[in-house]
Amino acid sequence: MSTTFLRKHFVQELDAVYEAFPDEKYVGFQEMTKPIILIRDPQLMKNIVVKDFDHFVDHKEFFSVEFDPLFGGSLFSMNGDKWREMRTTLSPAFTSSKMKFMFPLINEISLNNIQYLNDHEGEDIDVDDIIRRYTNDVIALAGFGFQVNSLKDRDNEFYKAGNGIFDFDFRQRVLILLEAQFPQIIKKFGLRLFKDSIYDFFFKIVASALEYRRKENIERPDMIQLLMQAKREWKLEELTSQVFIFFTAGFETSASSLFMTIHELALNKTIQDRLYEECRQLNEEKELTFETISELKYLDAILNETLRIWCPAILLDRKCTKTYELPPPREGGKPYVLKPGDIVYNLVNQVQMDSKYWPEPHKYNPDRFLDENKNNITPFTFMPFGVGPRGCIGLRFAILQFKVLMFHLILNFDIVKTDKTSDPIKLQTRTFNIGADGGTSVQFKRRDPK
């Protein structure tokens, strides 16, 4: 209840349970009226999400299609064979060849942000705002084929839709509570999570794109095109749901990784300077391309360290689809049998912040993820994008989106902490997403060319 009424973030509630049972492989957890098994042990997580995946194929139902037609009908919410078929349909959107094609487009959008920051040098910048505008523009292009510049056209429909999705108000939180505990009330009164304008926007824009492309015989390298070319004839509602989940994942999840990284770099000048040297050296020797960006090993380590401490995944939920016996939770304990329909939460954030696996877990230290140190990482204690067949389908896209912008930011600007930059960072509780309490505010000061 404290999460619903903004007193705590859900991560903090899970932290308390995790820390209370340090010797258990799993513990019971009551989510309102629903029992959940919280998995604390990395080896057991491996079994659930990879080795014995056929017993845990599905996610739990967060929102029904009636309550939220977009999220409820998305790849994330699909089950069984329908999920497998849609996953196969969408996978080609995220191959290396598709990412290579998207690179110059993402690069161009990144440079829009650099120009904006040049025009506002020395000002306190609301990082959350400019980063969401960046991810909005990238997703609008990659998912829908629409080119927008949210830094100039600040009230464009895509950006307004994105903010409308994630800025949950008290009414929406109450509705989520009702959907979880009393779904019959939601169905009886026809209640839905978002305003009609949100649903109308996505359904209309996908329908118009489909009609225009079929009529004019136009092809574009984006998600809508892949869905049009699928062997199966998907309904408009199903097509729209897939583009919607791509939009929401890219708009907020990728954004949180970026602004939390910028916040950490403002607080850790030595790490920032080291990253600058890596980016400067690449820039002097080579052109930034899809191929050369993979050479930025320290940037990759920085992304991973941000995702370790400030992971937007929070947990990997799975619904048991076939009877499964969990080993005893502790020495001398008894096994526990999961039945079809039972839910388990594999605890990502808590394991990634456990000193048993990560020395000085609260210290921002990207060196953990350098090649020479990767062997020290206990398997399945770092899963920011999930693993196994239901791992994040957009992993490559999210990483590319992050790296391109961070390269240009660090190459051009020194990220400077101000009086408004919170130190240490505290987790905000206003939304379910990961972000700094009070937001992230820094200054970007142009670097002197060397």
Side-chain angles (χ1 to χ4, degrees), residues 85-103:
E85 192 171 351
M86 181 59 82
R87 176 96 183 192
T88 300
T89 298
L90 295 179
S91 291
F94 303 101
T95 60
S96 292
S97 61
K98 289 294 192 303
M99 294 302 99
K100 185 175 182 178
F101 183 89
M102 289 303 302
F103 176 85

Side-chain angles (χ1 to χ4, degrees), residues 18 24-26 38-53 56 316 324-329 344-348 351 354 356-357 377-383 387:
Y18 185 89
E24 308 291 311
K25 292 182 178 180
Y26 55 89
L38 302 183
I39 309 296
R40 302 178 76 262
D41 178 65
Q43 182 59 47
L44 194 49
M45 291 182 188
K46 174 185 177 180
N47 294 345
I48 289 171
V49 299
V50 178
K51 181 175 176 287
D52 300 321
F53 173 75
F56 300 93
L316 305 179
Y324 187 81
E325 183 177 281
L326 293 173
V344 299
Y345 286 171
N346 299 283
L347 297 180
V348 174
V351 169
D354 191 333
K356 183 192 303 183
Y357 311 113
I377 299 174
T378 303
F380 291 85
T381 62
F382 181 67
M383 300 186 292
V387 289

Side-chain angles (χ1 to χ4, degrees), residues 58 73-80 82-83 86 234 242 390:
D58 299 338
S74 70
L75 176 68
F76 183 88
S77 300
M78 286 181 173
N79 295 329
K82 192 173 184 181
W83 162 75
M86 181 59 82
W234 298 97
Q242 310 326 310
R390 291 206 82 139

Side-chain angles (χ1 to χ4, degrees), residues 204-215 224-225 227-228 235-236 239-240:
K204 286 179 181 178
I205 204 164
V206 173
S208 62
L210 291 171
E211 181 181 4
Y212 176 71
R213 294 184 193 193
R214 286 168 177 157
K215 183 178 179 181
I224 288 180
Q225 191 66 41
L227 292 167
M228 290 176 65
K235 298 176 182 177
L236 174 62
L239 295 178
T240 305

